[in-house]
Amino acid sequence: MTEIFADERLLGFCIFCGGKPDTRDHVPPKVFLDKPYPDNLLIVGSCDRCNGGSSLDEQFVACLLEVVMCGTVEPGALRRPNIARTLTRSPALAAQLEQGLQPGGGFLVSELGGQRLARVLEKIGRGLWAYQTQEPTGTLAARVGWNAWSTLSDAQRQEFITVRDEVFPELGSRMFIRLLEEGPNRWTVVQEGRFAYLVEVQEGGGRIKLIIGDYLAGEVDLVGGTDG
Ligand SMILES: [Zn+2]
């Protein structure tokens, strides 16, 4: 059944504004994954104007998560070779991240860091939603939240991973076919330990849940504004 859509994996429009795409982005960005990369990584289009500089944000967030997980910015003590290389090349970034490390093991995300994290999560959410709906997402407002998995209670974890569609998707839509194929428990693990996501159908939009690096639980609500 998915064969129908096989040649549509590369979207022909900017996932934000619907305009002509200048670049094609992997969802999730490769910086969140380790080599060897999984086959069939999702690719979406975006224009230069909408995309503006997102890869720097993505690199920042990937480094942030690794530093938080490892409790250090020392390249030799990090688990992910890509991140170790990046921090070796960018002492300024390493110094910036080091400031967030708390004595005794926590990490404090700065306001700016939080904004960058929110932008990254939003873009991934929009990419996944555009892929499901085959439409640009620019008319939808985004609400982004995130937590460290370790800070969630069992009940919150249960709530987070439970699939809750509010409305049933249109017959024949990608979302509908996915429901048929994957059933109600349809988290997609892009790469074990690195990235998993779930797309839920909500009234007038969608909710995208992300687990990154077995550490960060992110949620992106895309909500219609004037749709009536
Ligand atoms: Zn655009």
Side-chain angles (χ1 to χ4, degrees), residues 170-185:
E170 212 172 303
L171 205 69
S173 67
R174 184 186 295 274
M175 180 65 75
F176 178 78
I177 286 164
R178 205 164 152 191
L179 277 174
L180 287 186
E181 285 184 341
E182 300 176 26
N185 199 6

Side-chain angles (χ1 to χ4, degrees), residues 121-144:
L121 295 178
E122 177 180 339
K123 188 182 173 201
I124 294 171
R126 286 187 183 276
L128 292 170
W129 186 246
Y131 179 66
Q132 300 293 339
T133 62
Q134 298 287 299
E135 285 173 6
T137 66
T139 57
L140 302 172
R143 211 167 42 229
V144 180

Side-chain angles (χ1 to χ4, degrees), residues 13-22 45-51:
F13 58 87
C14 168
I15 58 160
F16 303 99
C17 71
K20 196 170 160 293
D22 299 307
S46 67
C47 74
D48 284 339
R49 216 181 65 176
C50 295
N51 189 34

Side-chain angles (χ1 to χ4, degrees), residues 74-155:
E74 285 305 318
L78 301 178
R79 307 162 308 170
R80 304 188 58 207
N82 283 356
I83 304 299
R85 268 198 299 278
T86 300
L87 291 183
T88 304
R89 276 199 308 263
S90 302
L93 176 56
Q96 192 187 339
L97 290 172
E98 192 167 26
Q99 288 176 1
L101 285 171
Q102 300 294 295
F107 191 93
L108 214 59
V109 179
S110 69
E111 195 185 330
L112 188 68
Q115 288 166 4
R116 300 183 87 175
L117 179 52
R119 280 203 297 271
V120 168
L121 295 178
E122 177 180 339
K123 188 182 173 201
I124 294 171
R126 286 187 183 276
L128 292 170
W129 186 246
Y131 179 66
Q132 300 293 339
T133 62
Q134 298 287 299
E135 285 173 6
T137 66
T139 57
L140 302 172
R143 211 167 42 229
V144 180
W146 48 270
N147 272 300
W149 185 257
S150 56
T151 66
L152 300 180
S153 67
D154 284 351

